[in-house]
Amino acid sequence: MKKYSTFLFVMIWACALNAQPFSSFPPDSLTAKTDRDQMLWQLGIVLPQLPSPDNDPNRPPHIKSNDNGNWTDDNGYLPNSPVGYLITRTEFGLWLNYIEEPEKTGIYTPVNLLKTISGENVETPEQWWKIRRPELEKSVKEEIWGIIPDAAHQLKINWNIENAATADSAYGRFTQQIITGNVDISSYPELKHQPKITGRLYLPENAVNAPVIIQYAWLQWQPHPTYLKECISRGWGFLQLDCNAIQPDNGQFLTDYVIGLVNKGNWRKPSDWGTLAAWSWGVSRLIDFFENYDAVDAKRIGITGHSRYGKAALVTAAYETRIAVAYVSCSGAAGAAPMRRNWGQSIESVMWHTEYHWLAGNFMKWCGSLDENGYLPRKTEKLPVDAHALLAMCAPRPVFVTGGTNDNWCDPLGMFLTTRNASPAYELLGVAGLATDETTPLPDKPYMNGNLAYRLHIGGHVDFLDWALFAAWTEKK
């Protein structure tokens, strides 16, 4: 009897350990952290037990803790940095780094874009389109940015245009319209929030077949005057897209809006699309609409975004081949900055519950150290793709990438390296890529002779400083 009781106890304990710690269907009280943790559970990932920051042997030198437990650069950890620069540690133990040394950044070796998985050299455009680009696209979507389900492309959308205003300006007379696409939710009427593709479109008066630059934005904000000046004066349109009406920038809503609609309110699977890909889906549907709208030339649609919206702009240009040109501003990790390089915003910091929703859950497999008892190197160094692969998927179309001298968080040097490392794909397809032999960018120098352009503006985390250059460069393409 005692032996049987011991056996029963062991079986009950084993069942308890293997029991699903999350409900089979998301609760109404879902939070972003719960959703993030549920994805970690799906992947079988357990966050490591870390020592306190005070006792962490990997804590960078020259920083100290303030009363709130945040670590700051009070002793010049960054060259010429302002006192109080925030240094954080990820949940996998990686401290953010701003020292340009291999033992800190890791050994950054970009994946060879012109060699297939089987080891064959890619020497012709035909090999690129038939073999290598599909390989890269598969890895890009499955491992990092997410697969858009086929069902999303079948959703019906009811479009409406509202003429809001006409205005005079120093750069021309223009009209303002509100375009709204209401997504049909009849396939899952229990959905809490109906996704909408809505934007504010500015067009030169009496426009016909006008090119349009789409900007990811908050509609509560009026566009910067530079945006309208550079577009309207050239006869272009400018559209602010409310991407949060498609899918909110919050993991709490991953079982709602368009991702939740396709999943019928259920949890995402690890390779499912994240918010950035969902926003790109909205742009694709907007282009569908423009194909039947005489005022706009659907073959000349550009995309732009800044910061997290810069990440989205790059994803959109890579996923949607009808995008003609892209301006990717200060996008950082999960955008144009290399994920296999440990500098500033890292892919591990994107795993925080405030940001993880941007990407497919699978990206979290690449967080942590390669040696469970070590610190560097990190798992990201084994990534099959990186930011330059996403950028190469845009080839041969023009893409302009920018960073700021005072915006170290976004790794401006790393974004320059990405444009360099994506250039072979452009050159294979018969156009110049970054078109420079320089290995580091000079501040305020425009590298704009090829179909990949880069500028490191003197300043911080902004996009308007480069808008005039982008517009002039685009006009020549």
Side-chain angles (χ1 to χ4, degrees):
M1 179 63 73
K2 183 177 181 181
K3 184 176 181 180
Y4 174 77
S5 299
T6 302
F7 172 78
L8 183 61
F9 173 78
V10 169
M11 290 300 295
I12 293 173
W13 179 244
C15 290
L17 288 176
N18 292 316
Q20 184 174 152
F22 299 93
S23 59
S24 59
F25 194 83
D28 290 337
S29 58
L30 183 66
T31 66
K33 187 177 185 306
T34 299
D35 183 88
R36 193 281 307 267
D37 291 349
Q38 197 274 347
M39 180 57 70
L40 287 172
W41 173 79
Q42 282 192 57
L43 294 166
I45 296 173
V46 178
L47 294 175
Q49 295 294 316
L50 301 173
S52 70
D54 300 280
N55 298 318
D56 190 339
N58 299 308
R59 176 169 56 82
H62 312 306
I63 62 174
K64 65 180 183 180
S65 177
N66 63 22
D67 292 339
N68 296 321
N70 292 317
W71 290 83
T72 55
D73 175 32
D74 286 349
N75 294 310
Y77 176 61
L78 269 176
N80 304 315
S81 70
V83 170
Y85 200 95
L86 188 65
I87 308 294
T88 58
R89 182 179 69 173
T90 73
E91 290 171 283
F92 277 92
L94 178 67
W95 289 87
L96 300 192
N97 171 64
Y98 297 95
I99 295 178
E100 195 63 60
E101 296 175 359
E103 61 268 24
K104 301 292 185 180
T105 63
I107 306 300
Y108 174 60
T109 305
V111 174
N112 189 338
L113 297 178
L114 301 187
K115 189 177 287 292
T116 67
I117 291 174
S118 63
E120 180 183 1
N121 290 328
V122 178
E123 299 174 343
T124 67
E126 183 180 25
Q127 288 176 301
W128 171 260
W129 292 115
K130 289 189 175 181
I131 303 173
R132 187 55 176 151
R133 190 185 187 279
E135 286 181 348
L136 292 172
E137 182 176 7
K138 184 175 186 293
S139 293
V140 156
K141 292 182 175 181
E142 288 183 353
E143 299 298 334
I144 307 296
W145 287 277
I147 298 170
I148 299 177
D150 290 339
H153 301 298
Q154 308 305 318
L155 293 171
K156 295 179 180 179
I157 302 170
N158 181 37
W159 292 97
N160 179 63
I161 302 177
E162 176 187 346
N163 292 313
T166 302
D168 283 311
S169 71
Y171 38 84
R173 189 171 172 84
F174 62 89
T175 62
Q176 177 184 323
Q177 301 173 338
I178 303 297
I179 297 179
T180 303
N182 294 297
V183 180
D184 178 15
I185 66 169
S186 60
S187 60
Y188 186 63
E190 296 88 348
L191 196 73
K192 297 182 180 68
H193 297 95
Q194 180 184 27
K196 296 183 179 183
I197 305 168
T198 183
R200 188 161 48 217
L201 175 63
Y202 300 86
L203 283 172
E205 190 175 34
N206 301 318
V208 177
N209 285 334
V212 170
I213 303 295
I214 298 172
Q215 180 198 42
Y216 286 118
W218 287 286
L219 289 194
Q220 297 91 324
W221 294 2
Q222 294 296 316
H224 192 284
T226 298
Y227 309 156
L228 290 184
K229 175 186 176 183
E230 298 299 334
C231 288
I232 300 300
S233 66
R234 289 176 165 81
W236 304 350
F238 179 79
L239 185 142
Q240 289 181 299
L241 178 64
D242 183 8
C243 48
N244 283 274
I246 302 167
Q247 187 68 44
D249 189 10
N250 188 326
Q252 176 184 354
F253 298 101
L254 285 174
T255 58
D256 198 359
Y257 289 84
V258 71
I259 293 177
L261 174 60
V262 172
N263 284 346
K264 294 183 169 27
N266 215 331
W267 305 104
R268 284 192 307 165
K269 298 182 293 296
S271 62
D272 280 354
W273 50 341
T275 301
L276 302 183
W279 293 345
S280 79
W281 170 87
V283 170
S284 295
R285 304 291 71 77
L286 194 56
I287 295 175
D288 292 344
F289 170 76
F290 284 149
E291 287 177 342
N292 296 294
Y293 187 44
D294 292 341
V296 172
D297 185 351
K299 292 184 173 60
R300 293 187 292 168
I301 301 296
I303 188 71
T304 184
H306 172 67
S307 194
R308 66 191 59 193
Y309 293 156
K311 305 178 200 295
L314 181 53
V315 171
T316 302
Y319 276 40
E320 176 50 80
T321 58
R322 291 176 295 176
I323 291 292
V325 65
Y327 171 21
V328 180
S329 172
C330 300
S331 57
M339 290 173 284
R340 299 167 77 229
R341 181 179 133 87
N342 178 28
W343 179 282
Q345 183 186 30
S346 67
I347 197 64
E348 290 189 11
S349 65
V350 174
M351 204 212 71
W352 287 325
H353 69 274
T354 54
E355 298 178 358
Y356 78 100
H357 58 274
W358 294 338
L359 308 175
N362 268 338
F363 90 92
M364 293 189 278
K365 297 187 307 184
W366 304 101
C367 296
S369 60
L370 270 173
D371 178 356
E372 75 175 55
N373 297 315
Y375 183 68
L376 292 175
R378 314 298 289 182
K379 290 180 181 177
T380 51
E381 294 193 21
K382 297 295 185 181
L383 263 174
V385 287
D386 208 332
H388 70 302
L390 185 70
L391 183 53
M393 284 173 59
C394 303
R397 294 167 290 150
V399 180
F400 181 37
V401 177
T402 64
T405 56
N406 297 332
D407 191 19
N408 278 287
W409 170 255
C410 288
D411 189 9
L413 172 58
M415 292 189 290
F416 178 79
L417 296 175
T418 291
T419 57
R420 280 179 54 89
N421 293 328
S423 292
Y426 278 74
E427 293 160 5
L428 180 71
L429 298 178
V431 299
L434 187 61
T436 182
D437 292 328
E438 295 179 26
T439 56
T440 57
L442 296 175
D444 269 357
K445 178 179 178 178
Y447 298 85
M448 308 185 79
N449 292 328
N451 273 25
L452 285 178
Y454 180 87
R455 184 174 184 243
L456 175 64
H457 60 245
I458 295 177
H461 192 64
V462 296
D463 66 344
F464 63 85
L465 293 176
D466 303 297
W467 246 92
L469 281 171
F470 163 69
W473 176 73
T474 298
E475 197 169 33
K476 298 175 183 178
K477 298 299 177 182

